[in-house]
Amino acid sequence: MNEANSDLIVMKFGGSCFKDVESLSQTTSIVKDYLESAKLIVVTSAFKGITDKLIDFYDKSCSDGDECKVIINEIEDFHLKFINKNIDKKKPDYQETLDFLDTNINELTQLGRVVRLLRPSLDIQDLIMSYGEKLSTYIVSKYLNSIGLKAKFISSDEIILTDDNFGRALPLLDETEELVQERVTPLIKSNNCDLVCVTGFYGSTKDKKITTLGRGGTDLTAAIMAYSLTPNFKSKVIYWKDVQGFLDADPRISNKASLLKYISYLEAKELAFFGSKVLHPLCLDVNEKRNIPSEIRPFNDPKAAEYTTITKEAQKGDKIIKAITSIERISMVTIESGTMISLPGTAAKLFNLLGDNNINIKFISQSSSENNITFGIDLEDSMRVSFLLRNSDWFGKQWFSIKIDNDISLIAVIGAGMLHTPGIAGKVFTTLGNNDINVRAIAQGSSELNITIIVQRKDCKDAVNVLYDAFID
Ligand code: ASP
Ligand code: MG
């Protein structure tokens, strides 16, 4: 293979790589191929749909026991089929895997009872969700072992330390690095190990409570592994996905959308934040910190010549604007007051309130008269934000007027090149104006890597397409 320039490759296989019992053969062929030239860390998500089932199991456990049994049986069956189809019954790995499944299903059943008896709590929810990755990764590691590869299994709560923000925990990178180097480096160096299989998605707090890293968090696990091992190995990350890579627009909106072959970390972060669901945004931060190259490659076509490479620097001679992304469904909130000037701290109160309630803010803009603040949120959060504001001691008072518009889309024009190129904003607004598209609000991140434009939802598609034609095509 072509990978001689890295001696360690961290590979992430997402849930969509394990959508049925046959899919393990594809994973195996990829793993074998890359093992010819590098040691591997294989980080896996739960099998497809299992995390959702576990969340459902937790929710139902809070209220009623009978439906839980059905869900647990489905989870057990799905894994059992995987084991029976893939692992040779004559190998010791087979019985070991069945035993592991049995133990873990029993534990889950017990946990369901605990939830019913005690009150629901976020830490138990995280613990329950972690079983998806624990089972999938163990099964994959045992399967690889059964076909003659020397695979070691590590549960990530033993090596990845996080804060205690259950449901969306952040890794403690220094402590994690130490643990990973202590536990994983000797394995990689040993002749008794070809690859280490690490569970994605979860870690643990210092007092050993399981935490999850947020939905899609297995990407982040892979990035953390590469980060921690980079001082010892020349490493890179490959994210195997059910898409070809990052695209320069949403293909449902622009039929010209095409693959971005090279992109910088900064640009990829903007893309991940503004609409593209290809990668967990935080994993890009982690890779960037140590300048670890990464690739997004299509799982179904592993040798495809076209994929996305993400590196620190943008490529020379690149386009100024790389992508026009969009989030079709957002809400725009405007808080207005004639008195905001004389009420310093209003913005701080606003964003603390939203932050404390886990509301993700997509953009902010404030006019220089200072008597209104406009910000964008996910449409799904609109009711909650309305409730929070109208019931808060501060904003619920009559001198604020709160307007929420739910028919809004956000468009982001993204490219590192605009940093040094004057006139981009001018061209954006001329293009939109010439096409009779009304701009409701604008914002530019201080990174100057994007210009964010807010339009009525009915104009979203047209706006993306005229900007695409003006800047990319
Ligand atoms: N299994 C988790 C999820 O579905 C984590 C991941 O897939 O990355 O969100
Ligand atoms: Mg997933």
Side-chain angles (χ1 to χ4, degrees):
M1 280 265 358
N2 48 356
E3 306 303 331
N5 55 350
S6 316
D7 48 22
L8 179 73
I9 300 177
V10 180
M11 291 192 164
K12 182 260 174 164
F13 293 95
S16 59
C17 304
F18 305 107
K19 60 179 187 306
D20 50 38
V21 292
E22 281 80 29
S23 38
L24 254 186
S25 63
Q26 177 77 329
T27 309
T28 312
S29 87
I30 294 174
V31 164
K32 281 186 170 167
D33 204 4
Y34 280 84
L35 266 181
E36 284 174 17
S37 57
K39 291 272 185 156
L40 300 186
I41 307 277
V42 169
V43 183
T44 30
S45 295
F47 292 151
K48 189 167 168 80
I50 296 296
T51 306
D52 289 336
K53 279 200 199 301
L54 288 165
I55 294 173
D56 205 23
F57 170 72
Y58 168 81
D59 287 342
K60 302 254 159 72
S61 298
C62 301
S63 51
D64 138 52
D66 290 342
E67 274 189 274
C68 296
K69 272 208 202 93
V70 178
I71 306 172
I72 278 285
N73 288 342
E74 282 171 9
I75 294 176
E76 184 171 18
D77 263 14
F78 194 90
H79 290 90
L80 204 53
K81 286 207 182 91
F82 248 92
I83 299 168
N84 281 326
K85 164 80 190 176
N86 290 292
I87 305 186
D88 183 348
K89 303 195 171 49
K90 295 192 284 293
K91 301 269 170 168
D93 303 295
Y94 177 71
Q95 192 55 46
E96 282 166 30
T97 312
L98 288 185
D99 293 346
F100 189 84
L101 179 64
D102 196 47
T103 309
N104 282 282
I105 291 292
N106 284 337
E107 277 177 30
L108 264 175
T109 312
Q110 297 287 359
L111 279 170
R113 289 196 196 110
V114 172
V115 175
R116 222 163 308 137
L117 291 175
L118 305 172
R119 276 192 304 146
S121 69
L122 284 176
D123 49 344
I124 298 195
Q125 184 175 24
D126 270 12
L127 176 59
I128 287 180
M129 280 201 280
S130 73
Y131 279 79
E133 274 67 14
K134 200 164 146 200
L135 288 171
S136 66
T137 309
Y138 188 85
I139 293 172
V140 170
S141 76
K142 282 291 167 186
Y143 165 71
L144 293 173
N145 219 55
S146 76
I147 59 165
L149 301 176
K150 291 176 256 174
K152 297 275 184 251
F153 168 79
I154 294 191
S155 180
S156 47
D157 57 316
E158 295 170 26
I159 48 176
I160 294 183
L161 283 190
T162 73
D163 63 14
D164 58 3
N165 191 7
F166 294 99
R168 218 183 269 182
L170 288 174
L172 305 173
L173 287 175
D174 293 343
E175 290 88 337
T176 298
E177 177 174 349
E178 219 172 282
L179 283 170
V180 171
Q181 290 191 7
E182 200 180 290
R183 294 284 313 276
V184 184
T185 302
L187 287 177
I188 305 172
K189 289 190 171 156
S190 128
N191 289 332
N192 285 326
C193 173
D194 298 323
L195 75 160
V196 183
C197 296
V198 177
T199 55
F201 188 43
Y202 64 90
S204 74
T205 60
K206 284 184 179 158
D207 54 359
K208 302 228 176 307
K209 284 196 172 135
I210 299 268
T211 48
T212 64
L213 306 171
R215 294 306 303 266
T218 304
D219 288 343
L220 183 52
T221 311
I224 295 169
M225 293 306 295
Y227 174 95
S228 306
L229 290 164
T230 285
N232 301 133
F233 301 93
K234 187 160 191 296
S235 47
K236 82 168 176 188
V237 190
I238 301 180
Y239 301 93
W240 295 103
K241 293 274 168 175
D242 56 359
V243 293
Q244 221 186 342
F246 273 112
L247 299 182
D248 58 11
D250 182 340
R252 289 165 306 179
I253 293 188
S254 158
N255 54 19
K256 294 180 185 163
S258 50
L259 181 76
L260 285 160
K261 288 197 207 161
Y262 292 96
I263 185 165
S264 67
Y265 277 111
L266 288 174
E267 291 167 327
K269 272 196 282 188
E270 300 282 331
L271 269 174
F273 185 74
F274 289 109
S276 164
K277 295 240 158 57
V278 175
L279 274 188
H280 190 291
L282 263 185
C283 78
L284 293 159
D285 268 320
V286 172
N287 283 337
E288 187 192 13
K289 277 185 204 299
R290 291 215 161 140
N291 200 1
I292 299 161
S294 43
E295 296 167 357
I296 299 167
R297 287 177 175 260
F299 178 71
N300 288 324
D301 188 7
K303 303 220 164 140
E306 308 242 297
Y307 53 89
T308 299
T309 301
I310 313 173
T311 48
K312 186 148 187 134
E313 303 293 335
Q315 297 289 108
K316 287 234 158 52
D318 251 3
K319 291 195 181 100
I320 295 171
I321 300 302
K322 285 288 186 55
I324 314 289
T325 61
S326 46
I327 310 176
E328 259 190 293
R329 291 152 49 83
I330 67 162
S331 295
M332 182 166 87
V333 185
T334 303
I335 297 191
E336 233 165 352
S337 130
T339 49
M340 220 178 273
I341 287 181
S342 54
L343 294 175
T346 297
K349 285 199 175 65
L350 173 63
F351 295 116
N352 281 334
L353 176 67
L354 299 175
D356 289 346
N357 286 281
N358 251 322
I359 304 288
N360 190 8
I361 297 170
K362 296 290 181 189
F363 76 92
I364 302 169
S365 100
Q366 184 182 30
S367 63
S368 62
S369 72
E370 286 185 40
N371 66 356
N372 74 57
I373 299 181
T374 298
F375 59 94
I377 50 173
D378 290 326
L379 181 61
E380 288 68 31
D381 287 335
S382 161
M383 297 265 277
R384 210 146 63 86
V385 168
S386 166
F387 180 86
L388 285 170
L389 291 173
R390 294 184 212 280
N391 286 289
S392 94
D393 284 346
W394 187 261
F395 297 102
K397 295 276 156 59
Q398 56 197 357
W399 53 75
F400 286 102
S401 94
I402 300 163
K403 276 190 241 146
I404 302 189
D405 190 336
N406 289 323
D407 280 319
I408 294 289
S409 298
L410 176 157
I411 293 163
V413 177
I414 293 170
M418 73 172 90
L419 200 59
H420 313 289
T421 318
I424 300 293
K427 188 167 164 190
V428 167
F429 298 114
T430 315
T431 306
L432 294 173
N434 288 345
N435 287 280
D436 281 334
I437 294 166
N438 186 25
V439 175
R440 294 285 311 274
I442 49 177
Q444 183 178 36
S446 61
S447 66
E448 286 189 43
L449 288 176
N450 89 71
I451 297 173
T452 302
I453 307 130
I454 310 304
V455 297
Q456 288 300 124
R457 192 162 310 133
K458 68 173 175 42
D459 291 330
C460 176
K461 194 166 178 174
D462 285 346
V464 169
N465 281 297
V466 298
L467 291 170
Y468 194 96
D469 286 344
F471 286 100
I472 297 182
D473 196 30

